[in-house]
Amino acid sequence: FPSHDRQAPWGMPRDQPESYRAMAAMGFQFAARYGANPHVQLQQVQVYPKPRWPQDPTNITRRGLNLVHFLECGNEYDKWWKGANGYMNCYEYAALLSAFYDGHRGTLGPGTGVKNADSTMQVVIGGLAKPDPSYIRGMFEWCRQHRGYRNDGTVDICWDIINFHYYPSYRDWE
């Protein structure tokens, strides 16, 4: 990506899951290797096949190592202090999470989404810097409109755990 602050490539709409295909693929690869599912198709797990320096052991394909059970999607995307490229509004972040969570309900194709590699891995919202429930409500509304409902009638949200960062001096920031 041109900037580490901006997760969607330049020119791509930041409120569309398709713009975050690279993040969805990274989430899949991480969950496939370090998650609990040893049955991920071997051809979907990618590794760099060449030694990086002399005497470097060649990387081998591993899957289902059962080492990681929670995966946080980014960190403080609500960082208003970084300007427009660093800040993601709740709808943009929900679109990113939808891609990262399950490849936007599988529509981004094979090899995308944490849950498509390991359905038991818990996806954690990247810690929000501002403890504002309206941000989560906006994400929930985006999910209602763009992901719909589950069979049990609940909104198909694209996270398992909400993560707020607590800064004792937060009131001084406003």
Side-chain angles (χ1 to χ4, degrees):
F1 299 114
S3 166
H4 78 281
D5 288 334
R6 185 179 174 95
Q7 292 303 316
W10 289 100
M12 298 292 288
R14 292 175 62 170
D15 62 348
Q16 300 296 315
E18 297 81 17
S19 299
Y20 304 102
R21 189 179 304 272
M23 282 288 286
M26 184 278 302
F28 179 91
Q29 291 300 316
F30 191 91
R33 186 174 183 104
Y34 299 109
N37 180 8
H39 305 293
V40 177
Q41 293 179 9
L42 201 54
Q43 66 268 24
Q44 286 188 311
V45 182
Q46 302 169 0
V47 297
Y48 188 74
K50 299 176 184 173
R52 297 162 292 176
W53 55 80
Q55 276 75 55
D56 180 32
T58 303
N59 198 355
I60 60 171
T61 304
R62 294 185 178 141
R63 59 192 169 161
L65 295 174
N66 199 24
L67 296 173
V68 177
H69 306 284
F70 301 86
L71 186 55
E72 185 175 10
C73 182
N75 187 46
E76 294 185 349
Y77 283 128
D78 63 336
K79 54 184 169 268
W80 67 92
W81 64 90
K82 290 290 266 183
N85 287 333
Y87 177 81
M88 292 183 91
N89 68 41
C90 56
Y91 309 117
E92 294 167 343
Y93 189 46
L96 166 57
L97 271 169
S98 188
F100 187 78
Y101 187 79
D102 61 3
H104 190 55
R105 299 187 79 174
T107 63
L108 298 182
T112 60
V114 170
K115 294 290 187 172
N116 293 329
D118 179 2
S119 63
T120 66
M121 188 172 281
Q122 300 288 290
V123 173
V124 182
I125 289 176
L128 297 175
K130 189 175 181 182
D132 182 4
S134 66
Y135 195 89
I136 299 294
R137 282 194 294 270
M139 292 170 57
F140 186 86
E141 181 59 24
W142 185 93
C143 289
R144 188 186 68 73
Q145 291 178 23
H146 298 279
R147 292 179 59 88
Y149 295 88
R150 295 184 176 133
N151 291 336
D152 65 2
T154 60
V155 172
D156 187 12
I157 59 173
C158 48
W159 62 84
D160 299 306
I161 298 171
I162 296 172
N163 184 11
F164 282 109
H165 290 171
Y166 176 71
Y167 294 107
S169 62
Y170 171 71
R171 292 184 192 271
D172 298 336
W173 296 357
E174 293 184 14

